[in-house]
């Protein structure tokens, strides 16, 4: 039995107790002038919170999570299910509890001052003791907790600070977000001192009109109303002064001895530079609290932006403009530290997002590190700030449970109190996946009263009906809604709220199919305003393969380009020996765990292009400015004309002076050569000068238009067109035996092409290593049940007709036989292969129909004409401009965490694979085809769970697909559209293989 009152209270199983002894949240930034307490603390891990402290101490860095710092309590990944079976509000009895201790030297010149401890974030219950005395309790794992230590510590001497962090609690049930479970102190700890009478909060309202209002709340514990004290402000040199006496907020109550008062400052800034995500103009506001003699007692610095947010009709307007929300969901994540992120990390995240056309962030699913909002203000992002409430596994029980009422209002209100002065924050979110109940309405009510300047959203409430007038959501913010439902709603005449999906286009593995289709619909359907892709990060934790341990902070340099160094890997659910886990569902971001962009990022960059080629008309190229606020003067352009025959012409582009929404025709910069075949014009848009997020010369977008189609019939290689008669072969007569030894086309007795550069002859492929979407969407299961992963080729007939060899093979799937015909004809330097495959109707919706072959080693460079250089698929191909591309074969493969179909290139017209001595092969295709060249067979990829288990083959595995299924997003959300599916029936394709 413990005598410690904080322990005796058992706050880890009392949802009503959200805090004890904790100071109110506020927006005064105390980071500067504070005494940082980051660094090594003494640490021990108890098996339960009421276990005695007394074991041995070892050093642990703060901030940090012990689950990544060498303890036996390792990270665990679960999506919805709680990691323990206890019902809310109970945690399990076995409950890892970290005890952190250190001596703090309190400066002597803090005598007479108010001394405050700030713990940036601790999960999930924090107990604070100083010199063995209880100080306070806090829950709410992603917001800071402050405690007044005045009187508990002595200036000029040292005190022992103990922070006890209990991992599981009643609060865990409302922190059931889809991410790794950790335990520890994830954000910085600091001490600061103020005058006893201090700025307790500052609330800034800065409107688009230039009107500025600053409300300053001051407080003194046990003090009296001071004579002559006042506040002043300074807005980048423009002085502000208090416009009336302090309003004594508690003046009515004789019993209250504290002074709590409010003073206001107002001004109107002439010719104000307003804030928006494109031109995030900030002003520096310094607020000072003065003593009667004018000396400064307290200061608070804010970077503020003048802007309005409102909903008018069904449109969300920023400064009167219906802005598109090109958003992403972002967790605080790092592959070495788990959840502790540095300012530089966050800056790198946001810079990358900016470079790829994103303008919005949802802080999924809790208030992010404070630095994130500073950066969003500075770099220009619209932020949906989300409270730390997700009760996914027990959503229904908790939404109306009065024991959790405090926690809901506490978490939402503390977020608003902290972040209200950030211009980037345009919407408050009440949390995620917690059903919908009275606790939400209570929180929404608090926000509406406290901050009427921003809309509130909550997906759980919006789910009731996108036009439902209920109080908890001003935005229709569904997740993964089918596009057709969104469009139908916008066209229904019933829409009352902006439709902005809080999550869409699930980025798990090789995914984000139909993103461009979504945006085509959004930009052409009034009422649709965008959404937030799920999600930014693949949360892979860097793990040593030998002992299965997280590497932790020392791992910098052990990864590159999305791939962990040999001996290491990106761990996902189950890799730490978790009994319960949700596997690779944690790897669903648009960037790899080291922030390397996945190919979808290039697709997004083009979708978000600020300048676009609208059309090509006889008077020239029509350009449009697709921004909301900015002209084109910050951009430079270069024209690039790419001809199928390999020629590329370039010329500088004069960008017209266009206001947002305007278009103008500019003359064609080149006389289009009469020859050369298909011609594509690309406008390479780069930053003209340094932006906060990109140096001058950074690519912003690559809009493209086709100026001329391929020669009639569509091919650059007329020799390679299908003979006008389709391949219809009558195999009813007896096969003819031919001696191929002298023939220019050599086919062995099995009808397989014999070729000096091929180690495996072209065969039919109907299978791809299932993507996460294929697996979780159920397609892979169906394909396996049809036997498509292990089809056996049976040669039925081989015959020669002059120099033409025809091979018929059959592949018996469970639901019918696929007939495959190959006709080989010699052409100059090689062989032309005409193929057809007939899929029975039962084989509807297969992964691909095409040829697969393998080459000898050494052909390590791939050059092609078609979209590139990035990976592209039929429903994710818009971000790759058509041109001549050259990429080492090893770099064509995208190392998705769980190996799967990868490295495809859509719309390839022809390609060559060569060795350094320029020997090799070329393939000319009858029409643009999906091609992939990698070191892996589909079976190699689907046999392993991690990238490090793959053994590259020395040669190339080449797929040429007549049809390839779109990627869709079915791992969580809609599948691809029917137009991207592979239909049954007859598929025909042809190609010419030549030796270089
Ligand atoms: C949503 C949820 C996210 C994540 C995502 C799937 O339902 O809000 O937290 O779980 O699905 O990756
Ligand atoms: Mg969830």
């Amino acid at each position: 039995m413990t005598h410690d009152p904080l322990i005796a209270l058992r706050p880890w199983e009392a949802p009503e107790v959200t805090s004890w002894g904790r100071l109110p949240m506020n927006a005064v930034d105390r980071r500067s002038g504070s005494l940082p307490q980051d660094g090594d603390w003494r640490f021990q891990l108890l098996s339960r919170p009421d276990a005695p402290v007394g074991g041995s101490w070892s050093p642990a860095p703060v901030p940090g999570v012990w689950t990544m710092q060498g303890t036996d309590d390792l990270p665990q990944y679960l999506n919805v299910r709680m990691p323990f079976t206890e019902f809310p509000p109970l945690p399990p009895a076995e409950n890892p509890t970290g005890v952190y201790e250190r001596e703090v030297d309190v400066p002597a010149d803090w005598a007479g001052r108010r001394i405050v401890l700030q713990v940036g974030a601790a999960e999930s219950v924090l107990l604070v003791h100083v010199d063995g005395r209880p100080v306070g309790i806090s829950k709410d794992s992603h917001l800071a907790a402050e405690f007044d230590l005045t009187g508990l510590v002595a200036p000029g001497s040292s005190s022992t600070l103990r922070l006890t962090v209990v991992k599981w609690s009643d609060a865990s049930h409302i922190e059931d977000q889809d991410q790794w479970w950790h335990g520890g102190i994830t954000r910085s700890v600091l001490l600061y001192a103020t005058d006893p009478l201090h700025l307790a909060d500052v609330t800034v309202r800065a409107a688009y009109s230039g009107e500025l209002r600053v409300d300053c709340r001051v407080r003194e514990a046990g003090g009296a109303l001071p004579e002559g004290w006042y506040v002043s402000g300074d807005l980048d040199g423009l002085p502000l002064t208090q416009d009336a006496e302090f309003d004594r907020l508690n003046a009515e109550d004789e019993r209250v001895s504290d002074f709590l008062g409010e003073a206001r400052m107002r001004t109107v800034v002439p010719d104000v530079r307003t804030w928006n995500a494109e031109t995030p103009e900030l002003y520096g506001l310094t607020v000072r609290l003065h003593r009667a003699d004018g000396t400064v007692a307290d200061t608070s610095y804010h970077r503020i932006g003048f802007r309005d947010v409102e909903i008018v009709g069904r449109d969300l307007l920023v400064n009167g403009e219906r802005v598109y929300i090109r958003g992403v969901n972002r967790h605080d994540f790092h592959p070495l530290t788990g959840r502790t992120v540095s300012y530089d990390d966050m800056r790198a995240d946001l810079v990358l997002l900016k470079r790829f056309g994103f303008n919005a962030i949802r802080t999924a699913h809790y208030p992010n590190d404070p630095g994130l909002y500073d950066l969003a203000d500075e770099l220009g992002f619209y932020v949906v700030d989300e409270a730390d409430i997700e009760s996914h596994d027990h959503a229904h029980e908790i939404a109306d449970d009065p024991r959790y009422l405090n926690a809901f209002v506490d978490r939402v209100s503390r977020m608003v109190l902290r972040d209200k002065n950030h211009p980037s924050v345009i919407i408050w979110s009440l949390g995620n996946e917690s059903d919908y109940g009275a606790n939400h309405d209570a929180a929404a009510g608090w926000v509406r009263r406290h901050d009427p300047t921003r809309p509130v959203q909550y997906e759980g409430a919006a789910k009731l009906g996108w036009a439902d007038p209920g109080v908890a959501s001003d935005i229709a913010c569904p997740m993964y809604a089918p596009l057709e439902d969104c469009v139908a709603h916008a066209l229904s005449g019933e829409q009352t709220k902006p439709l902005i999906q809080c999550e869409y286009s699930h980025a798990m593995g090789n995914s984000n199919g139909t993103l461009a289709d979504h945006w085509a619909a959004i930009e052409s359907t009034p009422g649709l305003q965008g959404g937030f892709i799920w999600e930014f990060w693949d949360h892979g934790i860097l793990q040593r393969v030998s002992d299965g341990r997280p590497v932790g902070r020392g791992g910098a340099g052990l990864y590159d380009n999305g791939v962990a160094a040999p001996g290491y890997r990106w761990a996902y659910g189950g890799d730490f020996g978790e009994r319960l886990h949700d596997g690779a569902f944690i790897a669903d971001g648009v960037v790899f765990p080291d922030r390397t962009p996945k190919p979808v990022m290039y697709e997004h960059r083009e979708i978000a292009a600020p300048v676009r080629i609208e059309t090509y008309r006889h008077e020239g190229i029509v350009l449009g400015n697709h921004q909301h606020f900015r002209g084109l003067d910050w951009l430079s352009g270069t024209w690039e004309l790419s001809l199928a025959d390999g020629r590329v012409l370039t010329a500088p582009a004069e960008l017209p002076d266009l206001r947002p929404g305007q278009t103008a025709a500019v003359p064609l910069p080149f006389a289009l050569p009469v020859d050369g075949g298909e011609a594509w014009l690309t406008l390479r848009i780069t930053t003209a000068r340094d932006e906060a997020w990109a140096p001058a010369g950074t690519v912003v977008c690559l809009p493209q238009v086709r100026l001329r189609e391929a020669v009639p019939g569509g091919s650059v290689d007329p020799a390679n067109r299908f003979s006008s008669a389709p391949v219809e072969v009558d195999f009813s007569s007896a096969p003819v035996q031919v001696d191929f030894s002298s023939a220019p086309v050599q086919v062995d007795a099995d009808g397989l092409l014999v070729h000096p550069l091929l180690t495996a002859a072209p065969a039919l492929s109907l299978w791809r290593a299932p993507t996460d979407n294929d697996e979780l969407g159920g397609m892979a299961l169906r394909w396996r049940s049809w036997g498509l992963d292990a089809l056996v080729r049976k040669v039925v007939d081989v015959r020669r007709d002059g120099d033409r060899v025809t091979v018929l093979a059959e592949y018996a799937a469970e639901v019918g036989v696929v007939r495959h015909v190959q006709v080989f004809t010699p052409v100059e330097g090689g062989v032309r292969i005409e193929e057809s495959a007939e899929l029975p109707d039962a084989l509807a919706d297969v992964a691909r129909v095409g040829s697969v072959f393998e080459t000898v080693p050494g052909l390590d460079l791939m050059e092609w004409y078609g979209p590139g250089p990035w990976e592209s698929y039929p429903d994710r191909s818009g971000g790759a401009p058509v041109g001549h591309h050259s990429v080492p074969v090893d770099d064509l493969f995208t190392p998705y965490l769980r190996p799967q179909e990868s490295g495809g290139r859509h719309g390839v017209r022809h390609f060559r694979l060569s060795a350094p001595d320029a020997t090799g092969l070329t393939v000319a295709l009858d029409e643009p085809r999906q091609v992939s060249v990698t070191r892996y067979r589909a079976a190699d990829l689907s046999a392993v769970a991690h990238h490090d288990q793959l053994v590259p083959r020395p040669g190339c595995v080449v797929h040429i697909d007549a049809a390839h299924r779109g990627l869709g997003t079915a791992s969580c959300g809609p599948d691809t559209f029917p137009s991207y599916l592979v239909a049954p029936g007859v598929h025909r394709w042809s190609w010419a293989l030549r030796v270089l």
Side-chain angles (χ1 to χ4, degrees):
M1 194 56 211
T2 173
H3 298 296
D4 184 323
L6 300 190
I7 300 286
L9 188 61
R10 301 181 71 77
W12 51 88
E13 51 190 39
E16 303 85 345
V17 179
T18 54
S19 69
W20 177 78
R22 188 179 69 190
L23 294 170
M25 181 57 92
N26 61 78
V28 180
D29 188 346
R30 297 293 182 187
R31 282 172 289 188
S32 89
S34 66
L35 215 57
Q37 298 300 319
D38 291 352
D40 278 351
W41 287 52
R42 290 190 295 279
F43 176 76
Q44 58 179 281
L45 189 62
L46 311 180
S47 60
R48 41 204 299 163
D50 46 6
V53 181
S56 62
W57 298 94
S58 56
V62 169
V65 289
W66 67 70
T67 33
M68 304 275 289
Q69 292 171 343
T71 69
D72 289 334
D73 186 28
L74 293 170
Q76 178 175 10
Y77 166 56
L78 278 168
N79 172 12
V80 176
R81 289 171 297 172
M82 288 298 287
F84 48 83
T85 51
E86 282 73 8
F87 264 61
L90 294 180
E94 286 304 302
N95 189 353
T97 298
V99 184
Y100 295 81
E101 266 194 14
R102 70 156 29 183
E103 310 313 317
V104 292
D105 294 324
V106 182
D109 62 1
W110 283 9
R113 310 207 74 201
R114 168 181 164 264
I115 298 169
V116 178
L117 165 72
Q118 184 186 85
V119 180
E123 47 196 78
S124 68
V125 184
L126 170 70
L127 313 179
V128 180
H129 293 85
V130 169
D131 295 328
R133 279 180 293 171
V135 175
I137 299 173
S138 179
K139 297 178 190 171
D140 196 2
S141 292
H142 296 91
L143 281 176
E146 293 192 337
F147 302 91
D148 191 339
L149 302 190
T150 323
L152 293 171
V153 293
S157 69
S158 157
S159 284
T160 305
L161 193 57
R162 174 183 288 186
L163 305 179
T164 304
V165 181
V166 184
K167 184 173 180 184
W168 305 121
S169 69
D170 53 274
S172 308
H173 291 284
I174 54 170
E175 295 179 0
D176 181 21
Q177 291 97 355
D178 178 5
Q179 58 176 342
W180 294 99
W181 288 102
H182 287 295
I185 297 173
T186 55
R187 296 184 191 146
S188 293
V189 177
L190 51 90
L191 284 177
Y192 65 86
T194 70
D195 200 276
L197 183 59
H198 60 277
L199 287 167
D201 200 5
V202 173
T203 303
V204 179
R205 299 259 157 90
Y208 181 61
S209 61
E211 223 177 306
L212 174 65
R213 201 178 108 180
V214 184
D215 292 355
C216 310
R217 189 166 270 220
V218 298
R219 180 188 298 270
E220 173 162 16
L225 180 69
E227 283 297 322
W229 285 53
Y230 64 98
V231 293
S232 76
D234 172 320
L235 186 71
D236 285 342
L238 177 77
L240 311 174
T241 47
Q242 185 174 333
D243 67 353
E245 283 283 280
F246 268 112
D247 216 356
R248 190 181 167 123
L249 297 176
N250 53 4
E252 303 300 305
D253 193 337
E254 296 288 302
R255 294 163 305 171
V256 178
S257 61
D258 293 6
F259 172 66
L260 180 60
E262 207 162 66
R264 268 170 294 279
M265 297 183 282
R266 286 174 207 273
T267 191
V268 176
V269 179
D271 302 322
V272 70
R273 290 173 281 110
T274 54
W275 186 97
N276 60 69
E278 293 169 12
T279 52
E281 295 283 356
L282 294 176
Y283 288 77
L285 170 70
T286 308
V287 177
R288 295 188 186 89
L289 173 65
H290 300 265
R291 301 183 187 92
D293 64 2
T295 54
V296 176
D298 202 1
T299 306
S300 179
Y301 181 74
H302 305 260
R303 296 189 81 193
I304 65 164
F306 290 80
R307 58 114 188 87
D308 287 347
V309 180
E310 60 192 325
I311 292 177
V312 176
R314 58 180 184 174
D315 297 327
L316 173 75
L317 306 182
V318 173
N319 300 342
E321 289 294 319
R322 182 176 167 269
V323 295
Y324 286 121
I325 300 297
R326 305 180 185 281
V328 73
N329 281 278
R330 180 190 168 282
H331 275 280
D332 280 343
F333 167 78
H334 194 279
L336 303 180
T337 60
R339 259 199 268 293
T340 296
V341 289
S342 71
Y343 180 83
D344 290 345
D345 287 329
M346 289 183 280
R347 191 175 182 98
D349 294 357
L350 268 54
V351 159
L352 187 77
L353 285 168
K354 216 50 199 178
R355 290 187 191 176
F356 284 89
F358 289 87
N359 71 356
I361 289 170
R362 173 172 174 242
T363 67
H365 297 299
Y366 41 80
N368 286 181
D369 185 284
L372 190 276
Y373 303 79
D374 298 339
L375 286 159
D377 293 344
E378 180 199 326
L379 298 173
F381 285 91
Y382 303 118
V383 173
V384 172
D385 201 4
E386 187 151 284
D388 190 3
I389 302 174
E390 176 164 345
S391 58
H392 206 156
D393 201 12
H394 296 286
H396 190 62
E397 300 99 290
I398 288 177
D400 281 301
D401 185 338
R403 292 173 300 175
Y404 277 96
L405 171 62
N406 288 356
F408 275 56
V409 179
D410 189 55
R411 285 161 184 251
V412 173
S413 64
R414 278 166 36 83
M415 168 182 77
V416 173
L417 288 165
R418 186 191 71 166
D419 295 335
K420 62 196 168 201
N421 296 336
H422 288 282
S424 56
V425 175
I426 62 163
I427 296 170
W428 302 117
S429 163
L430 303 180
N432 189 55
E433 297 187 318
S434 303
D435 206 329
Y436 177 34
N439 293 344
H440 291 102
D441 282 350
W446 189 94
V447 182
R448 292 193 188 289
R449 178 70 178 207
H450 189 84
D451 179 19
T453 71
R454 291 177 178 92
V456 171
Q457 76 172 49
Y458 176 53
E459 184 268 340
K463 199 150 59 188
L464 293 185
W466 294 347
D468 188 274
V471 300
S473 201
D474 299 324
I475 315 265
C477 50
M479 45 173 76
Y480 314 108
L483 181 60
E484 61 270 25
D485 291 2
C486 298
V487 172
H489 180 65
L491 300 179
S492 67
E494 311 282 309
Q495 187 181 6
T496 55
K497 303 175 182 181
L499 180 42
I500 302 170
Q501 293 217 52
C502 71
E503 295 176 27
Y504 81 111
S505 199
H506 194 247
M508 184 178 184
N510 192 355
S511 186
N512 305 99
T514 74
L515 190 61
D517 305 80
H518 273 72
W519 275 94
I522 290 165
E523 294 190 350
S524 59
T525 313
L528 303 189
Q529 258 188 277
F532 297 82
I533 289 178
W534 187 267
E535 65 173 310
F536 181 60
W537 287 110
D538 264 0
H539 302 222
I541 291 177
L542 189 70
Q543 182 186 40
R544 225 177 351 261
V545 179
S546 58
D547 61 3
R549 289 268 164 185
V551 177
R553 281 174 197 276
L558 289 173
Y559 43 77
D560 186 29
N561 262 322
V563 180
Y568 299 87
R569 68 179 181 187
W570 301 126
Y572 53 73
D575 290 336
F576 294 109
E578 306 112 285
R579 193 173 52 80
L580 284 182
H581 65 84
D582 284 308
F585 206 62
I586 192 68
D588 55 359
V590 291
V591 300
F592 285 97
D594 66 351
R595 210 183 283 108
T596 298
K598 291 187 180 173
V600 60
M601 291 290 268
Y602 298 93
E603 178 89 350
H604 189 272
R605 187 172 75 181
E606 224 39 59
I607 287 170
V611 188
R612 306 200 193 155
I613 297 176
E614 308 293 335
T615 48
Y616 165 45
R617 293 203 297 250
H618 65 280
E619 65 270 39
I621 309 288
V622 179
L623 296 183
N625 177 356
H626 284 252
Q627 300 165 100
H628 296 292
F629 301 101
R630 248 184 152 178
L632 302 187
D633 53 327
W634 65 286
L635 300 167
S636 315
T638 308
W639 296 109
E640 285 175 12
L641 179 67
S642 182
L643 294 161
D645 67 3
R647 274 179 290 165
V648 177
L649 313 178
T650 61
E654 278 293 315
L655 296 181
D657 181 16
L658 292 180
R659 286 198 307 279
Q662 281 188 329
T663 60
V666 297
L668 189 62
F670 309 98
L672 186 59
V674 287
D675 56 349
E678 191 182 19
W680 286 84
L681 182 69
T682 308
L683 180 55
R684 187 182 180 81
I685 296 284
T686 55
T687 46
R689 48 179 184 268
D690 291 351
E691 295 284 321
W693 46 272
T698 303
V699 173
V700 173
C701 56
L702 302 166
Q704 201 180 43
V705 65
R706 180 157 62 181
L707 297 186
R708 184 170 60 211
E709 299 222 9
V711 289
S715 175
V716 282
D717 182 2
N720 189 36
R721 290 302 301 165
F722 247 108
S723 40
S724 43
V727 191
E728 301 291 358
V729 189
D730 174 12
F731 285 92
S732 50
S733 53
V736 182
Q737 293 303 320
V738 194
D739 171 13
F740 292 114
S741 57
S742 59
V745 172
Q746 293 197 32
V747 175
D748 71 12
D750 282 333
L752 293 168
L753 181 71
V754 178
H755 190 283
L757 293 179
L758 304 194
T759 55
L764 181 70
S765 173
L766 303 179
W767 172 251
R768 68 183 179 199
T771 62
D772 291 311
N773 291 326
D774 294 341
E775 290 287 5
L776 296 172
M779 288 77 82
L781 191 70
R782 201 163 60 232
W783 297 336
R784 285 196 188 94
S785 77
W786 291 341
L788 300 187
D789 55 334
L791 284 182
V792 177
R793 177 177 178 276
K794 189 178 131 217
V795 61
V796 175
D797 200 355
V798 179
R799 58 178 53 198
R800 174 174 287 278
D801 177 9
D803 55 6
R804 173 176 154 135
V805 180
T806 302
V807 177
L808 171 69
E810 284 181 356
Y811 296 76
E814 288 298 320
V815 287
V817 173
V818 181
R819 284 163 56 98
H820 179 218
V821 179
Q822 290 175 311
V823 180
F824 300 97
T825 323
V827 291
E828 198 195 326
V831 54
R832 182 158 72 102
I833 307 163
E834 290 174 69
E835 306 194 53
S836 74
E838 188 178 347
L839 275 60
D841 285 351
L843 279 188
D845 186 14
V846 299
R848 59 157 41 112
V849 178
S851 324
V852 59
F853 63 87
E854 292 176 21
T855 74
V856 295
L859 309 184
D860 295 339
L861 183 67
M862 159 94 162
E863 292 162 282
W864 75 98
Y865 177 57
W870 307 289
E871 179 192 273
S872 53
Y873 283 83
D875 60 352
R876 204 194 65 215
S877 67
V882 176
H884 300 276
H885 304 286
S886 165
V887 175
V889 170
D890 288 336
D891 297 348
L892 289 166
F893 183 76
T894 310
Y896 296 111
L897 264 58
R898 194 189 64 77
Q900 53 196 279
E901 161 64 30
S902 158
R905 299 296 187 278
H906 184 64
V908 174
R909 279 83 167 150
H910 53 78
F911 64 94
R912 73 193 241 161
L913 294 171
S914 59
D917 65 1
T919 59
L921 56 84
T922 66
V923 171
L925 299 154
D926 55 340
E927 54 184 82
R929 299 289 183 187
Q930 181 81 21
V931 168
S932 79
V933 180
T934 69
R935 300 286 185 208
Y936 309 106
R937 294 181 186 160
D940 299 340
L941 298 171
S942 51
V944 298
H946 276 281
H947 190 259
D948 67 295
Q949 298 162 326
L950 287 172
V951 182
R953 291 177 184 274
C956 302
V957 178
V958 182
H959 278 274
I960 295 169
D961 293 329
H964 193 105
R965 191 187 198 279
L967 300 167
T969 63
S971 54
C972 182
D975 194 0
T976 193
F977 297 155
S979 56
Y980 299 115
L981 297 180
V982 177
V986 179
H987 293 262
R988 295 196 171 83
W989 68 106
S990 78
W991 46 294
L993 173 70
R994 294 186 175 88
V995 175
L996 274 174

